[in-house]
Amino acid sequence: MTRADELLGKAIGASIPFSDEAEKGLISSLLQDPTERMADARLEVAAEAFHHEGNRLIYSTMLAFYDAGRPLDPVLLGDFLASSNQLEMIGGRAELAELFCFVPSAAHYLNYKAIVLQKWLARRLLKATADVQAMVMEHEAAGLQQDPLSLVSAAQELFFSITPQTKTGDGGLEYSDVLDNVLDLITNQLDHAAIIPENRIPFGFTDLDRRVWGFQRGQSVVLAARPSMGKSALAKDIACNVSSGMGHYTQWNANAWPHQKRKRTIYFNLEMTNEQHGTRDLVGGAGLDLQAMRYGFPVRGAQQALTERMKLIKDCNLRMYDRPGMSIQKMRAICRAQKRKKGVDLIVIDYLQLMHSETTRAKGNRQLEISEISAGLKEMAKELDCVVLVLAQLSRAVEERADKKPQLSDLRESGSIEQDADVVMMLLRPAYYFEEAPKDESWLILAKGRDVGIGEVKLRFDGPKTTFHSCTDDLMSNNEEKRETGYKSKPQASKKEMASRRELDDAIPD
């Protein structure tokens, strides 16, 4: 007997929730009317829902008969149980005959089913409570130096796994109903032409949102780049746009544009502190030179610009976390709690290679750990019905190509990341590699996109202010620029610069 079983026994004693009468009434109804009832029971009632061991064995056998297409009656069930030396475990043939006549008819089948499922749910809740209590006691007894949030995450997993089995139907939809829903969506979109649907999440950059038309809830989006490309700055701008409802849409008024509402955003800073992030947002967003402000150089109009910027972003619907090395399990626990409190629309994580998983299965195997993290991010997006934007580092293979264009294979531990992500975007600033390229030119390469296709989106980068801007404010514009690929490469980096780049790469966990 496990520690959890001992605690469960002490907690509830002899008052464990179950109804032998309802269990027998359910089995009796199925025996009397198997043709009409067994299909429903097969979908909605698991064998574990029966607490009494004899009832559970009989029902399990009935399910096996139904799956095999064999007729159901007490005689055939009795013969099968006798051949497998299990007949006496249920009380013999007399028990089967008594079960068949336990209720006068199958008319109240749904009532018996509801009681059985209700009692089963209560038992599972009690068991989960005992399991959590046992985890806490074992944790304390072992004196482990473990973050309590990991216990919270484990407890949440236990309780979220308890799904009430009382909903009717098998979860499917007739195709005609699916088409009706799709037609309603299309009709609504046609009635609001040129407006990104309210249930999507635009990132606030016109050229990107025109191509993607707002990211869908439940999507996992990867933003990848080499060091110094500006991916943290771009993620910061996206979070600000979404949480403040601003974006770069000057031709729309507040009444026509549904995304003025501040969407709830959660930001995990695993690389920078919250203060560093806030400094970039406040100073850069105010149009001030970050370097000049950092050294305290006097800048004309700085105080007024900071005040105006503060008014715009102070009420952002944004929550920040900057604990280093946070695990995917802790993140899910935090986001679940925030979902219950204030809801969640967008989650931003900077960045993936600094995360880890707490499962023992992934210990010592970075490839498996990244796979667990990547799958966990996709599951989190679907569970919380939000968009998850995760930043990722690219390998130095990019710098070995003549055009410096990143590819999906450049993602570190790329297999699972590429597979699980719905959209993969890669950031490139040509001026970092090519001396003739404009300093403010940057490109967002859509390397993978379910329902959005692939392509390139041009952005404008303001280096001193560490901010990105749209190249146009016209959401319906069809003018798309093509990236220049004929730039001359910069002179080869010095040995010191190359050593610095390798050192930065090596600091990232493989």
Side-chain angles (χ1 to χ4, degrees):
M1 179 181 290
T2 66
R3 179 64 171 163
D5 292 331
E6 293 177 10
L7 292 169
L8 181 61
K10 291 179 181 178
I12 61 178
S15 61
I16 189 165
F18 80 101
S19 171
D20 188 48
E21 291 77 11
E23 291 181 4
K24 289 181 176 178
L26 180 56
I27 293 174
S28 180
S29 299
L30 293 172
L31 287 172
Q32 292 180 36
D33 189 12
T35 304
E36 294 294 327
R37 310 294 184 183
M38 274 305 298
D40 176 79
R42 185 70 182 88
L43 286 173
E44 299 192 12
V45 185
E48 293 79 12
F50 291 83
H51 175 70
H52 191 280
E53 187 176 354
N55 295 337
R56 185 165 61 249
L57 177 57
I58 294 170
Y59 183 70
S60 297
T61 307
M62 292 171 68
L63 290 180
F65 269 51
Y66 176 77
D67 292 341
R70 300 175 61 180
L72 274 173
D73 67 48
V75 176
L76 294 175
L77 286 173
D79 288 344
F80 178 83
L81 290 170
S83 67
S84 58
N85 298 318
Q86 294 178 305
L87 187 59
E88 296 307 314
M89 294 174 62
I90 66 163
R93 291 183 184 274
E95 179 66 18
L96 283 172
E98 183 180 333
L99 270 177
F100 185 82
C101 304
F102 188 78
V103 294
S105 75
H108 299 294
Y109 159 78
L110 292 177
N111 299 88
Y112 303 138
K113 182 181 75 170
I115 295 172
V116 170
L117 292 176
Q118 181 184 14
K119 300 295 184 183
W120 181 39
L121 178 60
R123 294 197 303 274
R124 294 170 74 194
L125 286 170
L126 285 171
K127 178 66 165 59
T129 303
D131 287 342
V132 171
Q133 187 178 355
M135 280 193 305
V136 174
M137 294 178 69
E138 289 170 3
H139 176 269
E140 291 299 315
L144 299 176
Q145 298 300 315
Q146 189 177 4
D147 193 320
L149 265 178
S150 63
L151 293 176
V152 173
S153 179
Q156 287 178 333
E157 291 286 350
L158 282 173
F159 284 104
F160 275 113
S161 68
I162 301 173
T163 305
Q165 304 290 313
T166 54
K167 295 181 179 178
T168 58
D170 58 3
L173 282 174
E174 291 296 321
Y175 191 49
S176 58
D177 295 330
V178 173
L179 291 175
D180 285 339
N181 294 338
V182 171
L183 182 59
D184 288 342
L185 290 172
I186 294 174
T187 302
N188 181 68
Q189 187 60 39
L190 290 174
D191 290 340
H192 300 83
I195 300 294
I196 295 175
E198 191 170 1
N199 64 333
R200 289 183 174 239
I201 311 293
F203 279 3
F205 290 95
T206 314
D207 305 282
L208 174 63
D209 291 333
R210 182 178 65 239
R211 176 177 284 275
V212 177
W213 212 238
F215 289 86
Q216 296 183 46
R217 294 177 182 273
Q219 283 190 329
S220 172
V221 182
V222 172
L223 172 58
R226 287 290 294 152
S228 301
M229 285 296 113
K231 58 184 179 294
S232 294
L234 181 57
K236 175 259 299 179
D237 290 340
I238 290 171
C240 181
N241 290 341
V242 173
S243 62
S244 67
M246 288 188 291
H248 298 192
Y249 306 108
T250 58
Q251 81 279 25
W252 301 107
N253 59 54
N255 294 325
W257 187 247
H259 303 286
Q260 295 287 338
K261 179 183 176 183
R262 298 189 299 270
K263 291 181 169 63
R264 184 64 170 172
T265 302
I266 298 176
Y267 201 114
F268 292 98
N269 261 316
L270 305 186
E271 187 176 28
M272 294 189 295
T273 66
N274 289 340
E275 287 72 21
Q276 288 173 316
H277 179 108
T279 300
R280 286 185 170 197
D281 198 7
L282 183 59
V283 176
L288 303 174
D289 189 315
L290 195 63
Q291 284 288 94
M293 295 297 293
R294 180 178 293 130
Y295 295 124
F297 296 151
V299 178
R300 185 185 297 275
Q303 192 61 51
Q304 182 179 352
L306 290 171
T307 302
E308 292 298 321
R309 178 64 177 172
M310 191 68 172
K311 290 179 182 178
L312 287 174
I313 65 174
K314 186 173 176 59
D315 294 327
C316 281
N317 197 0
L318 176 64
R319 188 169 180 84
M320 308 284 294
Y321 296 87
D322 62 357
R323 296 180 186 177
M326 193 177 291
S327 70
I328 179 64
Q329 289 81 10
K330 290 179 184 176
M331 286 184 182
R332 290 184 75 169
I334 289 170
C335 292
R336 282 168 177 159
Q338 287 297 313
K339 176 75 172 180
R340 290 194 301 272
K341 291 178 181 178
K342 293 188 175 182
V344 178
D345 298 299
L346 172 67
I347 298 169
V348 182
I349 302 168
D350 185 6
Y351 56 92
L352 185 144
Q353 280 87 359
L354 294 180
M355 296 174 63
H356 72 277
S357 175
E358 294 178 1
T359 64
T360 55
R361 190 170 71 98
K363 297 297 182 185
N365 187 331
R366 184 58 179 170
Q367 198 76 24
L368 182 58
E369 188 173 32
I370 287 290
S371 179
E372 284 191 359
I373 293 169
S374 179
L377 293 173
K378 175 59 181 174
E379 291 168 6
M380 183 163 66
K382 294 183 69 174
E383 176 190 333
L384 302 180
D385 192 32
C386 67
V387 175
V388 173
L389 173 65
V390 58
L391 278 59
Q393 198 78 275
L394 294 177
S395 70
R396 60 171 67 101
V398 174
E399 299 181 353
E400 297 173 0
R401 298 190 191 98
D403 64 356
K404 313 302 180 185
K405 181 179 179 180
Q407 301 174 0
L408 285 173
S409 58
D410 297 328
L411 282 165
R412 286 173 176 262
E413 301 97 6
S414 64
S416 57
I417 302 172
E418 178 184 344
Q419 173 183 313
D420 294 325
D422 297 289
V423 179
V424 177
M425 306 186 297
M426 297 180 170
L427 186 61
L428 172 64
R429 288 196 300 108
Y432 186 79
Y433 299 108
F434 304 107
E435 59 183 357
E436 295 181 358
K439 293 185 181 299
D440 65 348
E441 179 184 339
S442 63
W443 291 89
L444 198 56
I445 301 166
L446 296 173
K448 175 187 175 182
R450 292 172 185 158
D451 301 325
V452 302
I454 60 175
E456 298 182 356
V457 172
K458 188 176 182 181
L459 299 175
R460 187 168 60 82
F461 178 63
D462 190 335
K465 300 166 187 173
T466 63
T467 58
F468 283 83
H469 301 277
S470 298
C471 290
T472 175
D473 63 2
D474 184 1
L475 194 66
M476 300 307 293
S477 170
N478 290 319
N479 297 324
E480 293 194 6
E481 297 185 52
K482 299 297 182 182
R483 183 165 55 88
E484 174 63 55
T485 57
Y487 293 130
K488 294 180 181 179
S489 297
K490 284 183 177 179
Q492 188 172 0
S494 67
K495 292 182 179 180
K496 183 178 180 181
E497 289 174 322
M498 294 300 293
S500 177
R501 288 186 192 178
R502 283 195 295 272
E503 184 178 337
L504 183 60
D505 275 347
D506 294 339
I508 302 165
D510 291 320

